[in-house]
Amino acid sequence: MSLEERSAFSIELCRAAGALARDHFARRDQLRVDQKGSQDWVSEADRKVESFIRESIAEAWPQDGVVGEEHDDTPGSNDFTWVIDPIDGTTNFLSGIPTWAVVLAGVSEGETRIGVVHDPIYGETFSALRGGGARLNGRAIRVAEGKTLDDGIVAVGYSNRVRAENVASTVAALVVRGTMFHRNASGALSLAYVAAGRLVGYVEEHMNAWDCLAGLLLVTEAGGLTEDLNADEMIREGGRVIAGAPQVFEELKSMSTPAWGGSG
């Protein structure tokens, strides 16, 4: 079956999963919640939404593999793998903050081919098909043009997987540069906002594949730049993410790399 068919399927699936997640959001005070680590939570809603997505994929594409944040990997009999984050922004979700998303990426031969970031609260579905551009609710989107670090906003992500000092150094470098920084606690949504021209860039020292693969494809298909990452390696290990409009990308890289203890 074609990538176009998988892409259309993924968009509708994320919308259906988003409706399920939104129902849980409306009664979040009744959810069972477990703590995986410092500021790292998983709820009954995360698990149920991921299970719904997995079951839908198994019915429509039984030969495809599946990787998700909350359940064990399901190997496929072909080279196509779906990567799921059922609720990106769980802390927001559980706190009643309406900034979270359902995220789905499709990977083949080390490249992300399909990416969807669906925001059920605002009814926004960001989608990308490799070579086919990026869209918001079906309309083409582009990264910010004309804006630089002098008048744009850069989002900074962080997690308990990196040193707090490195995050502070990243924010400090942006502030000294005179750039506005932003964090909405959903890396996938932030990357989608870069693709839509709302943010000029996004940086995070380490992201898991389910948080970033869909968003990175959105950015590149919307005319932005990202570092050259192998999707299969990101699934295995995760990695750093720098994404932005072409006019700010190299400067973001030169600011972030030393802040994270690297060079170059």
Side-chain angles (χ1 to χ4, degrees):
M1 303 294 281
S2 69
L3 283 176
E4 288 78 7
E5 289 174 296
R6 278 187 170 88
S7 179
F9 163 81
S10 66
I11 291 169
E12 293 308 311
L13 176 56
C14 283
R15 287 174 174 161
L20 175 61
R22 187 167 180 166
D23 287 344
H24 286 297
F25 184 66
R27 52 185 179 84
R28 59 192 173 276
D29 58 329
Q30 303 172 30
L31 294 174
R32 185 179 71 252
V33 179
D34 299 314
Q35 187 168 11
K36 296 189 287 186
S38 176
Q39 295 294 329
D40 189 7
W41 310 89
V42 59
S43 75
E44 181 182 2
D46 296 84
R47 295 189 177 103
K48 286 186 174 180
V49 173
E50 182 169 321
S51 292
F52 170 77
I53 295 172
R54 284 173 172 270
E55 290 164 6
S56 300
I57 291 171
E59 181 178 348
W61 312 97
Q63 296 181 326
D64 293 357
V66 180
V67 174
E69 183 173 12
E70 308 303 345
H71 296 283
D72 292 338
D73 297 352
T74 301
S77 59
N78 60 20
D79 185 51
F80 197 91
T81 300
W82 296 95
V83 185
I84 310 166
D85 191 339
I87 300 174
D88 183 53
T90 298
T91 300
N92 285 344
F93 183 96
L94 295 175
S95 300
I97 299 171
T99 306
W100 49 272
V102 177
V103 187
L104 186 60
V107 172
S108 177
E109 298 179 345
E111 289 189 328
T112 306
R113 308 288 182 175
I114 293 167
V116 180
V117 177
H118 174 61
D119 180 343
I121 300 298
Y122 293 98
E124 293 189 327
T125 306
F126 303 85
S127 61
L129 178 64
R130 181 167 291 275
R135 299 181 180 278
L136 168 55
N137 292 345
R139 301 185 66 175
I141 53 176
R142 296 288 296 177
V143 296
E145 296 180 357
K147 287 190 176 182
T148 68
L149 296 184
D150 294 309
D151 56 2
I153 304 171
V154 174
V156 180
Y158 71 90
S159 68
N160 58 15
R161 296 183 299 277
V162 302
R163 296 176 58 197
E165 298 93 323
N166 292 3
V167 180
S169 295
T170 306
V171 172
L174 289 167
V175 172
V176 170
R177 173 63 177 76
T179 302
M180 292 292 292
F181 70 92
H182 173 77
R183 181 176 186 266
N184 69 5
S186 170
L189 266 180
S190 291
L191 286 165
Y193 287 1
V194 175
R198 299 172 183 175
L199 300 170
V200 294
Y202 181 83
V203 296
E204 183 165 354
E205 186 176 356
H206 184 277
M207 297 186 76
N208 290 316
W210 44 79
D211 296 321
C212 68
L213 289 183
L216 288 169
L217 181 63
L218 280 164
V219 172
T220 56
E221 288 297 322
L225 297 177
T226 68
E227 293 194 289
D228 187 15
L229 303 173
N230 180 282
D232 291 334
E233 291 179 7
M234 289 294 287
I235 290 172
R236 288 193 297 269
E237 302 175 5
R240 73 183 218 170
V241 168
I242 301 173
Q247 66 272 18
V248 304
F249 177 77
E250 289 299 332
E251 190 171 1
L252 282 179
K253 185 175 179 180
S254 67
M255 294 167 66
S256 300
T257 300
W260 298 338
S263 59

